[in-house]
Coordinates of all heavy atoms in Angstrom, one line a residue:
G11 N -22.8 -3.6 -8.9 CA -21.5 -3.4 -9.2 C -21.1 -2.0 -9.7 O -22.2 -1.4 -10.3
L12 N -20.0 -1.5 -9.7 CA -19.8 -0.3 -10.2 C -20.0 -0.1 -11.7 O -19.8 -1.2 -12.4 CB -18.3 0.1 -10.0 CG -18.0 0.3 -8.4 CD1 -16.5 0.7 -8.2 CD2 -18.9 1.1 -7.6
R13 N -20.4 0.9 -12.2 CA -21.0 1.0 -13.6 C -19.9 1.3 -14.7 O -20.2 1.4 -15.8 CB -22.1 2.1 -13.6 CG -23.3 1.6 -12.8 CD -24.4 2.7 -12.9 NE -25.6 2.3 -12.4 CZ -26.0 2.3 -11.2 NH1 -25.2 2.8 -10.2 NH2 -27.2 1.8 -10.7
F14 N -18.6 1.5 -14.2 CA -17.6 1.7 -15.2 C -16.6 0.5 -15.1 O -16.5 -0.3 -14.0 CB -16.9 3.1 -14.8 CG -16.6 3.2 -13.4 CD1 -15.4 2.7 -12.7 CD2 -17.5 3.8 -12.6 CE1 -15.2 2.8 -11.4 CE2 -17.2 4.0 -11.2 CZ -16.1 3.6 -10.7
A15 N -15.8 0.3 -16.1 CA -14.9 -0.7 -16.2 C -13.5 -0.4 -15.4 O -13.2 0.8 -15.1 CB -14.5 -1.0 -17.6
N16 N -12.8 -1.3 -15.2 CA -11.6 -1.3 -14.3 C -10.4 -0.9 -15.3 O -9.5 -1.7 -15.6 CB -11.3 -2.7 -13.8 CG -10.0 -2.7 -13.0 OD1 -9.6 -1.7 -12.4 ND2 -9.3 -3.8 -13.0
R17 N -10.5 0.3 -15.9 CA -9.6 1.0 -16.8 C -9.2 2.2 -16.4 O -10.2 3.2 -16.3 CB -10.1 0.9 -18.1 CG -10.2 -0.5 -18.9 CD -10.4 -0.4 -20.2 NE -11.8 0.1 -20.7 CZ -12.8 -0.6 -20.8 NH1 -12.8 -2.0 -20.7 NH2 -13.9 -0.1 -21.2
W18 N -7.9 2.6 -16.0 CA -7.6 3.8 -15.3 C -6.3 4.4 -16.0 O -5.5 3.8 -16.6 CB -7.3 3.6 -13.9 CG -8.4 2.8 -13.1 CD1 -8.6 1.4 -13.1 CD2 -9.5 3.4 -12.3 NE1 -9.7 1.3 -12.2 CE2 -10.3 2.5 -11.7 CE3 -9.6 4.8 -12.0 CZ2 -11.3 2.8 -11.0 CZ3 -10.8 5.1 -11.2 CH2 -11.6 3.9 -10.7
A19 N -6.3 5.7 -16.0 CA -5.1 6.3 -16.5 C -3.9 6.2 -15.6 O -4.0 6.0 -14.5 CB -5.5 8.0 -16.6
P20 N -2.6 6.2 -16.3 CA -1.5 6.0 -15.4 C -1.3 7.2 -14.5 O -1.7 8.4 -14.8 CB -0.4 5.8 -16.6 CG -0.9 6.5 -17.7 CD -2.4 6.2 -17.7
G21 N -0.6 7.0 -13.4 CA -0.3 8.1 -12.5 C -0.3 7.5 -11.1 O -0.7 6.3 -10.8
P22 N 0.1 8.3 -10.0 CA 0.0 7.8 -8.7 C -1.4 7.6 -8.1 O -2.3 8.4 -8.3 CB 0.8 8.8 -7.9 CG 0.4 10.2 -8.7 CD 0.4 9.7 -10.2
A23 N -1.6 6.5 -7.4 CA -2.9 6.2 -6.8 C -3.1 7.2 -5.7 O -4.2 7.6 -5.3 CB -3.1 4.8 -6.3
R24 N -1.9 7.3 -4.9 CA -2.0 8.3 -3.8 C -0.8 9.3 -4.0 O 0.3 8.8 -4.4 CB -1.8 7.6 -2.5 CG -3.0 7.0 -2.0 CD -2.8 6.3 -0.6 NE -4.0 5.6 -0.1 CZ -3.9 4.7 1.0 NH1 -2.9 4.4 1.5 NH2 -5.2 4.3 1.4
Q25 N -0.9 10.4 -3.6 CA 0.1 11.4 -3.7 C 0.1 12.4 -2.5 O -0.9 12.9 -2.1 CB 0.0 12.2 -5.1 CG 1.0 13.4 -5.2 CD 0.9 13.9 -6.8 OE1 1.0 13.0 -7.7 NE2 0.8 15.2 -6.7
W26 N 1.3 12.7 -2.0 CA 1.5 13.7 -1.0 C 2.3 14.7 -1.4 O 3.4 14.5 -2.1 CB 2.3 13.0 0.1 CG 1.4 11.9 0.9 CD1 0.5 12.2 1.9 CD2 1.4 10.4 0.6 NE1 -0.1 11.0 2.2 CE2 0.4 9.9 1.5 CE3 2.0 9.7 -0.4 CZ2 0.1 8.7 1.4 CZ3 1.6 8.4 -0.4 CH2 0.8 7.8 0.4
D27 N 2.0 16.1 -1.2 CA 2.7 17.2 -1.6 C 3.4 17.7 -0.4 O 2.7 18.2 0.5 CB 1.7 18.3 -2.2 CG 1.0 17.8 -3.4 OD1 1.7 17.2 -4.2 OD2 -0.3 18.3 -3.6
L28 N 4.8 17.6 -0.5 CA 5.7 18.1 0.6 C 6.5 19.2 0.2 O 7.6 19.0 -0.1 CB 6.5 16.9 1.0 CG 5.8 15.6 1.4 CD1 6.8 14.5 1.6 CD2 4.9 15.8 2.5
G29 N 5.8 20.4 0.1 CA 6.5 21.5 -0.4 C 6.8 21.4 -1.9 O 5.9 21.2 -2.8
L30 N 8.2 21.4 -2.3 CA 8.6 21.3 -3.6 C 8.7 19.7 -4.0 O 8.9 19.5 -5.3 CB 10.0 21.8 -3.8 CG 10.1 23.4 -3.6 CD1 11.4 23.9 -3.6 CD2 9.1 24.1 -4.4
V31 N 8.4 18.8 -3.1 CA 8.5 17.4 -3.5 C 7.2 16.8 -3.5 O 6.3 16.9 -2.6 CB 9.3 16.7 -2.3 CG1 9.4 15.3 -2.6 CG2 10.8 17.3 -2.2
H32 N 6.9 16.0 -4.5 CA 5.7 15.4 -4.6 C 5.9 13.9 -4.6 O 6.7 13.3 -5.4 CB 5.0 15.7 -6.0 CG 4.7 17.2 -6.2 ND1 3.8 17.9 -5.4 CD2 5.5 18.1 -6.8 CE1 3.8 19.0 -5.8 NE2 4.8 19.3 -6.7
V33 N 5.3 13.1 -3.6 CA 5.5 11.7 -3.4 C 4.3 11.0 -3.8 O 3.2 11.2 -3.3 CB 6.0 11.4 -1.9 CG1 6.2 9.9 -1.8 CG2 7.1 12.3 -1.5
G34 N 4.4 9.9 -4.7 CA 3.3 9.3 -5.1 C 3.5 7.7 -5.0 O 4.7 7.3 -5.1
I35 N 2.4 7.0 -4.8 CA 2.7 5.5 -4.8 C 1.5 5.0 -5.6 O 0.5 5.5 -5.6 CB 2.7 4.9 -3.3 CG1 1.4 5.2 -2.6 CG2 3.9 5.4 -2.6 CD1 1.3 4.4 -1.2
G36 N 1.8 3.7 -6.0 CA 0.7 3.0 -6.8 C 0.6 3.5 -8.2 O 0.9 4.7 -8.5
N37 N 0.0 2.7 -9.1 CA -0.4 3.1 -10.5 C -1.7 2.5 -10.7 O -1.9 1.3 -11.1 CB 0.7 2.6 -11.4 CG 0.4 3.1 -12.8 OD1 -0.5 3.7 -13.2 ND2 1.3 2.6 -13.7
P38 N -2.8 3.3 -10.8 CA -4.1 2.9 -11.2 C -4.3 2.1 -12.5 O -5.0 1.2 -12.7 CB -5.1 4.0 -11.1 CG -4.3 5.0 -10.3 CD -2.8 4.7 -10.5
A39 N -3.2 2.4 -13.4 CA -3.3 1.8 -14.8 C -3.1 0.3 -14.7 O -3.5 -0.5 -15.6 CB -2.2 2.4 -15.7
R40 N -2.5 -0.3 -13.5 CA -2.4 -1.6 -13.4 C -3.7 -2.2 -12.8 O -3.7 -3.4 -12.7 CB -1.3 -2.0 -12.4 CG 0.1 -1.5 -12.8 CD 1.1 -1.8 -11.8 NE 1.3 -3.1 -11.4 CZ 1.9 -4.0 -12.0 NH1 2.5 -3.8 -13.1 NH2 2.0 -5.3 -11.5
G41 N -4.7 -1.5 -12.5 CA -6.0 -2.0 -12.1 C -6.3 -1.7 -10.6 O -5.4 -1.7 -9.9
L42 N -7.6 -1.5 -10.3 CA -8.1 -1.4 -9.0 C -9.3 -2.2 -8.8 O -10.1 -1.9 -8.0 CB -8.4 0.1 -8.9 CG -7.5 1.2 -9.0 CD1 -8.1 2.7 -8.9 CD2 -6.3 1.1 -8.0
C43 N -9.1 -3.5 -9.1 CA -10.2 -4.5 -9.1 C -10.6 -4.8 -7.6 O -11.7 -4.9 -7.2 CB -9.9 -5.8 -9.7 SG -8.2 -6.4 -9.3
G44 N -9.5 -4.9 -6.8 CA -9.8 -5.2 -5.3 C -10.5 -4.0 -4.7 O -11.4 -4.3 -4.0

């Protein structure tokens, strides 16, 4: 098993930088257990 707990800082799980626009989806703070 991974040696750290399922506790993550808030922010996008994935992010795309499109010039001046930054697009993010997901929030690890809700958990990444799966």
Side-chain angles (χ1 to χ4, degrees):
L12 301 184
R13 295 181 166 89
F14 46 84
N16 180 32
R17 291 191 291 268
W18 306 84
R24 283 180 176 168
Q25 181 169 300
W26 293 269
D27 296 324
L28 307 174
L30 298 177
V31 179
H32 305 284
V33 179
I35 62 170
N37 182 3
R40 294 177 59 83
L42 297 174
C43 55

